[in-house]
Amino acid sequence: MSPNANPASYYSIGAAALLAAERGGVAALGNFDGVHKGHQALLAEARRVAGNAAPVLAITFDPHPRRYFMPDAPPFQLDSLAHKAQLLKALGASAVVALRFDPALAELSPQAFVTDILARDLGLRHVVVGYDFTFGKARAGNTALLQSLGAAHGIGLSIVQSQGDGNGAYSSTRIRSLLQAGAPDQAAELLGRYWEVEGLVQRGDQRGRTIGFPTANVDMGDYLVPKLGVYAIRVRLSDGSEREGVANLGLRPTFGKDKVALEAHLFDFQGDLYGQALRVAFIGFIRPERKFAGLDELKAQIAADALKAREILALSPR
């Protein structure tokens, strides 16, 4: 799927309401960045409440409120909206609605959020949120207020308590920390899948071809930048086929570059990937990025990295 393809329905204040078939639904409500195991518990509860009697909706926000309030912050998102919607639908959401987080929504009071959006425009019968859910201007609304305001409109509420493992709660923050520490395998345990980024292949300096390791330069967009270094990867191509490989995420100090780039070398692949959308899954961290004395040293290290990547990939579940 192209990074621009969007299976979520957009909704802004004042826009048309949901389709009739989507009204009267049970909605899981949250940012869903990463759609990790905690988020998955929200969808499971929404499906349980809905049974076969009501549609199940996932209601999220775009852009992420953090991006709205901190437009100059470094990239932090774990998922694009398009991939998030795919994941939520795979978990049983019959519709994914992205509330456009703009000045009008940011200034909306908790009362108006429930009355105008959840009740009037979305026509919900029940909502499912996490225990720490907040909403409305200045995050003034909490679960107790949501229960009170919703009851006045016939909207039920389920609150899902903290979900986690022996090391803490499942959270997007914890996943980001693991990725930035170079632990994609541990992040995968919280996500229930390997972390992925999707981006278009851009033209680079094509230096990899000259040393026998052609690479696809994948645009990272607004994705979180994990620990810089070399990774074992699996890559899904635009035609749906999957390849394994090794990737360098970094500044390419050997060549004096100063912009983070994701350069993916696909094993046993020949073809032109320019302009295609690739989905790159980070399977295992191999080593930090470092500067080499010359091309011969670099070539030898890439060969060793590729061998290590094959070993990691052979032992990693799909």
Side-chain angles (χ1 to χ4, degrees):
M1 171 176 290
S2 164
N4 296 321
N6 184 6
S9 300
Y10 254 110
Y11 170 82
S12 298
I13 296 173
L18 288 180
L19 297 175
E22 296 171 337
R23 295 180 65 81
V26 176
L29 186 60
N31 286 317
F32 296 118
D33 190 23
V35 194
H36 54 64
K37 289 182 177 179
H39 298 144
Q40 294 165 29
L42 295 184
L43 263 294
E45 175 63 12
R47 292 199 314 271
R48 186 195 68 79
V49 173
N52 296 320
V56 174
L57 283 69
I59 311 296
T60 188
F61 303 91
D62 189 71
H64 191 293
R66 176 173 166 183
R67 174 57 66 212
Y68 174 83
F69 288 113
M70 302 174 64
D72 298 324
F76 66 90
Q77 289 190 184
L78 297 174
D79 269 315
S80 66
L81 176 60
H83 190 227
K84 181 191 301 186
Q86 284 182 297
L87 294 169
L88 291 168
K89 287 186 174 181
L91 290 169
S94 54
V96 177
V97 177
L99 300 180
R100 192 181 299 279
F101 204 93
D102 55 15
L105 185 59
E107 291 295 313
L108 207 61
S109 70
Q111 292 79 6
F113 181 80
V114 173
T115 299
D116 297 346
I117 294 183
L118 301 187
R120 183 192 68 195
D121 294 339
L122 302 183
L124 301 176
R125 62 186 288 184
H126 197 98
V127 295
V128 179
V129 298
Y131 69 100
D132 57 351
F133 180 74
T134 58
F135 65 102
K137 182 179 180 180
R139 303 174 69 181
N142 55 20
T143 55
L145 183 58
L146 181 58
Q147 185 167 37
S148 174
L149 294 172
H153 296 280
I155 301 174
L157 176 67
S158 294
I159 301 172
V160 176
Q161 297 305 312
S162 178
Q163 307 288 307
D165 56 21
N167 295 314
Y170 301 130
S171 73
S172 302
T173 298
R174 185 178 164 200
I175 293 167
R176 292 188 192 102
S177 295
L178 288 170
L179 292 171
Q180 290 172 327
D185 51 340
Q186 295 180 46
E189 294 177 4
L190 277 63
L191 289 163
R193 66 185 187 284
Y194 290 108
W195 182 64
E196 302 172 303
V197 302
E198 185 175 35
L200 295 176
V201 177
Q202 301 177 326
R203 289 196 176 273
D205 53 26
Q206 299 185 325
R207 187 175 283 109
R209 295 178 182 275
T210 67
I211 60 175
F213 293 95
T215 60
N217 299 282
V218 181
D219 182 11
M220 288 287 288
D222 201 34
Y223 284 104
L224 173 85
V225 176
K227 183 174 182 176
L228 301 184
V230 178
Y231 290 84
I233 58 171
R234 289 197 179 102
V235 179
R236 185 168 296 278
L237 278 61
S238 295
D239 63 5
S241 63
E242 187 178 87
R243 295 281 179 162
E244 295 185 334
V246 63
N248 184 81
L249 176 70
L251 299 173
R252 298 176 289 175
T254 300
F255 303 111
K257 304 295 184 179
D258 59 2
K259 180 180 179 182
V260 172
L262 176 61
E263 298 177 299
H265 171 66
L266 280 57
F267 298 148
D268 310 314
F269 176 82
Q270 292 183 343
D272 186 357
L273 295 173
Y274 290 125
Q276 289 193 40
L278 301 187
R279 177 160 291 282
V280 181
F282 289 68
I283 309 300
F285 184 78
I286 296 174
R287 64 168 176 84
E289 186 178 43
R290 69 182 184 85
K291 187 173 183 178
F292 296 94
L295 289 182
D296 289 341
E297 185 180 0
L298 174 61
K299 287 170 61 176
Q301 184 61 61
I302 294 175
D305 293 339
L307 181 61
K308 181 62 176 179
R310 289 182 187 272
E311 293 174 357
I312 292 172
L313 291 162
L315 297 174
S316 64
R318 289 186 175 273

